[in-house]
Amino acid sequence: MMWSISKETSTPVASNRESNRESGSEGHNNEEQSTSEDILDNKPNQPNPKCIPVQTLSSRVLRFQERWYKEYPWLHYSHAVKGILCFYCVKIYTVQKSIMSKKADPAFSSKGFTNWKNAVERFERHQNSQSQHHAVTASAQEAAPINSQLSTACSKQQQNARHCLQSIVGAMQFLIRQGLALRGHGKEDGNLFQHLKYNAKDDVCLSDWLICCHDYTAPPVQNEILQLFGNCIVRNIAQTIQSLTVLQFSIIIDGTQDITGREQESICFRYVDEDLVPHEVFVGLYEVSGTTGVEIARTAVDVLLRLNLPMSCLRGQTYDGAVNMSGAYSGAQAEVKKQQPLALYVHCGPHCLNLITQAACQASSVLRDALEWVHDLGSLCKQSGRFKAMFSAVAADSEGPSVSLRTLCPTRWTVRGTAIKAVLSQYDSILTSLQEMAAAGSSTSARANGMHERFEKGRTVLGLLMALEVTEELECLNKSLQKLTATIAGMRCSIVCHIHSTVEKK
């Protein structure tokens, strides 16, 4: 009976000892495993010093100093032991279990160092110890694993590709900012490739990339990058408008045709910032299926929706005087007002002035005919190289360097003053050149002879002087109306001042 009790009592004691040994070894293994997991990044863990526990003394509190990271790059904070370790000692002695592990300092290889009072002294002593020198040397001599080498090579390729892509995007940004074409007749004749080729003289990575790869400079990629630039600009404009304290804006639409004949609508936004400074920004050209007021209004609403600009904040709309735009019942302004009655329609001021100039110039046959002959003279100078050479020679002999003769803009009447001035200031040279051209016996002699007869008449000179009087005054007013910072009150004030100045001159 006694034996059995002794046997029963001794068995648990033995089992407890074994369990303690097992738990002790398991705890040691867990500590080593946690410590080894801390260095999986293959570089020291150096968090913000605020994350490292402080050392509390009787009279003060000591903290880990951030400058110690620079002075001792091997410092490694372990979350497992909540202390500072030596990165190389942990890697060689604790993880790899080197034969010199017994000589390693436990405070920096497994247990962790937290005595900030003597930190600098202990760091210096450990940094000069043989165990630390051995750990650093062994770590430097060991070969990286294959997967790590492949990952490093792949990372370097990605880094080089990223560097080259940034160089290409930067070159494109410079060219499009200056309004220069990207591509040329050949693959390597364009401005973009030549610009990159010049930059590659001081960039070995870019030079090698241009020799081996042309993917990032292909036309489809160029178009994609241009589209990204455009989207980024429009997105920034929309965010600027959305961030206004008082979100109110107006829309400006004008139609035009591209080189293929497709109708496109130019859309701009106008808003006032917190400093009461008006801004007018262009957001893009949008193709429309038709030119009716309903279709144009639908395009405007779609643009507002895409840019996340609320229709309820639209306060104005400005178009030209065409029926499909300004129509009171079916025009674009009427369709927009159905959705937002507060969107006041204002006829474009410079366009109104252009219509006034056109009506004033066509009201008199003398003035109208004189402008027509100026346009024909500009066409002759543009089409006939022989007449242009004659005119330049005659003008150089009599009046000095000649001023080029221009055709009149068919739509913008307020910019015709320059062409009229060029004719009036060189009238004698023009008559002499037309006379020589008429006597030359070429295919344009008859045309030059007819013009010479017209320009010899006083009626033509009178018409040009009258036209110059009208266009000069209205062109000055037009410049003030076309300012980006112009307001309706400012436009009205400019018109009143112009009227007063005209009356005083007379």
Side-chain angles (χ1 to χ4, degrees):
M1 190 69 178
M2 294 288 291
W3 173 255
S4 62
I5 294 175
S6 176
K7 186 176 182 180
E8 290 176 1
T9 57
S10 63
T11 302
V13 172
S15 63
N16 288 336
R17 291 175 180 173
E18 293 176 359
S19 63
N20 289 336
R21 285 197 299 268
E22 291 175 358
S23 62
S25 62
E26 182 179 354
H28 182 68
N29 292 335
N30 290 338
E31 181 180 337
E32 291 183 356
Q33 183 179 1
S34 301
T35 306
S36 62
E37 288 177 355
D38 287 339
I39 64 171
L40 289 178
D41 293 337
N42 202 29
K43 62 181 180 179
N45 177 36
Q46 298 181 345
N48 192 309
K50 295 181 180 179
C51 302
I52 300 178
V54 299
Q55 181 186 8
T56 305
L57 302 179
S58 57
S59 60
R60 53 179 175 165
V61 177
L62 302 179
R63 302 179 184 276
F64 183 88
Q65 303 298 315
E66 187 175 4
R67 58 185 175 82
W68 292 342
Y69 284 144
K70 296 182 179 179
E71 296 176 2
Y72 310 101
W74 46 267
L75 293 179
H76 168 79
Y77 176 72
S78 173
H79 294 280
V81 300
K82 295 184 179 180
I84 291 295
L85 299 172
C86 174
F87 174 77
Y88 300 105
C89 291
V90 173
K91 183 178 180 181
I92 299 301
Y93 300 136
T94 304
V95 178
Q96 300 181 7
K97 298 185 181 300
S98 172
I99 57 176
M100 295 184 64
S101 300
K102 295 180 181 180
K103 296 183 179 181
D105 188 350
F108 292 99
S109 61
S110 58
K111 293 182 178 181
F113 179 81
T114 57
N115 185 8
W116 311 135
K117 182 179 180 180
N118 302 321
V120 176
E121 179 183 352
R122 289 297 306 275
F123 292 161
E124 285 288 343
R125 189 191 308 169
H126 179 74
Q127 185 168 266
N128 297 325
S129 64
Q130 294 183 357
S131 59
Q132 209 262 358
H133 291 174
H134 172 75
V136 173
T137 305
S139 178
Q141 291 178 350
E142 66 179 2
I146 296 298
N147 57 351
S148 177
Q149 295 180 16
L150 293 175
S151 177
T152 303
C154 182
S155 176
K156 187 175 181 180
Q157 289 180 356
Q158 293 177 350
Q159 184 179 359
N160 292 340
R162 188 180 298 109
H163 169 73
C164 294
L165 179 60
Q166 291 175 347
S167 300
I168 293 171
V169 172
M172 290 184 62
Q173 183 179 9
F174 168 76
L175 293 174
I176 61 179
R177 176 61 181 82
Q178 299 302 116
L180 302 175
L182 299 181
R183 298 189 284 269
H185 295 289
K187 187 175 182 180
E188 300 182 358
D189 295 336
N191 292 329
L192 175 59
F193 190 86
Q194 292 299 322
H195 186 73
L196 292 172
K197 188 176 179 181
Y198 179 79
N199 291 340
K201 293 180 179 180
D202 301 325
D203 192 336
V204 179
C205 179
L206 180 60
S207 178
D208 296 339
W209 181 269
L210 293 177
I211 295 174
C212 302
C213 306
H214 297 280
D215 296 341
Y216 292 169
T217 57
V221 178
Q222 294 179 19
N223 295 337
E224 184 178 355
I225 294 175
L226 291 175
Q227 187 65 44
L228 292 175
F229 272 130
N231 293 341
C232 182
I233 294 173
V234 174
R235 193 181 301 112
N236 290 338
I237 292 174
Q239 291 175 354
T240 301
I241 298 176
Q242 293 167 5
S243 63
L244 295 175
T245 305
V246 180
L247 181 53
Q248 294 180 353
F249 59 92
S250 300
I251 190 171
I252 305 173
I253 302 179
D254 193 14
T256 185
Q257 289 185 348
D258 61 10
I259 194 172
T260 62
R262 292 179 299 180
E263 184 69 21
Q264 293 184 342
E265 299 299 325
S266 168
I267 297 183
C268 300
F269 289 115
R270 189 177 179 86
Y271 63 92
V272 179
D273 61 15
E274 285 77 4
D275 297 327
L276 301 181
V277 177
H279 298 269
E280 188 174 309
V281 291
F282 170 74
V283 295
L285 293 168
Y286 297 87
E287 185 176 352
V288 293
S289 56
T291 57
T292 63
V294 175
E295 292 169 324
I296 295 175
R298 188 185 300 119
T299 302
V301 174
D302 180 68
V303 171
L304 293 178
L305 181 62
R306 291 175 182 271
L307 298 182
N308 197 23
L309 296 176
M311 189 73 176
S312 59
C313 297
L314 182 64
R315 292 295 182 269
Q317 43 181 333
T318 301
Y319 319 122
D320 57 22
V323 177
N324 63 334
M325 303 298 290
S326 62
Y329 301 102
S330 59
Q333 64 94 10
E335 295 295 330
V336 172
K337 273 191 174 182
K338 291 178 182 179
Q339 303 184 44
Q340 174 52 288
L342 297 179
L344 178 66
Y345 166 68
V346 178
H347 191 175
C348 175
H351 187 265
C352 289
L353 185 61
N354 189 70
L355 294 177
I356 293 172
T357 307
Q358 180 180 1
C361 292
Q362 291 183 341
S364 171
S365 59
V366 176
L367 197 152
R368 179 194 62 207
D369 295 343
L371 291 177
E372 189 65 28
W373 285 112
V374 170
H375 182 73
D376 290 344
L377 179 63
S379 299
L380 177 63
C381 186
K382 184 178 180 180
Q383 297 170 0
S384 176
R386 186 175 183 181
F387 174 76
K388 188 174 183 179
M390 287 182 178
F391 172 72
S392 299
V394 172
D397 293 339
S398 58
E399 302 168 0
S402 63
V403 180
S404 60
L405 303 176
R406 304 177 180 179
T407 58
L408 300 180
C409 180
T411 55
R412 299 176 62 190
W413 287 72
T414 55
V415 297
R416 297 187 171 190
T418 304
I420 298 173
K421 283 183 181 179
V423 173
L424 289 175
S425 62
Q426 305 173 109
Y427 212 83
D428 293 338
S429 300
I430 291 174
L431 290 176
T432 304
S433 302
L434 289 174
Q435 187 176 6
E436 293 181 0
M437 190 68 184
S442 62
S443 57
T444 56
S445 296
R447 183 180 177 184
N449 187 42
M451 289 184 184
H452 182 265
E453 293 179 359
R454 289 290 181 179
F455 278 100
E456 274 190 327
K457 295 182 179 180
R459 177 187 174 94
T460 302
V461 179
L462 177 62
L464 292 178
L465 292 174
M466 293 170 57
L468 184 61
E469 190 74 18
V470 173
T471 55
E472 271 191 331
E473 294 293 339
L474 294 180
E475 184 175 355
C476 180
L477 177 60
N478 182 65
K479 290 181 179 179
S480 63
L481 297 182
Q482 284 190 327
K483 291 182 178 179
L484 296 179
T485 57
T487 61
I488 294 180
M491 293 168 67
R492 295 180 62 182
C493 183
S494 298
I495 294 172
V496 172
C497 292
H498 174 74
I499 293 174
H500 290 330
S501 63
T502 304
V503 172
E504 290 177 358
K505 287 181 180 180
K506 292 183 178 180

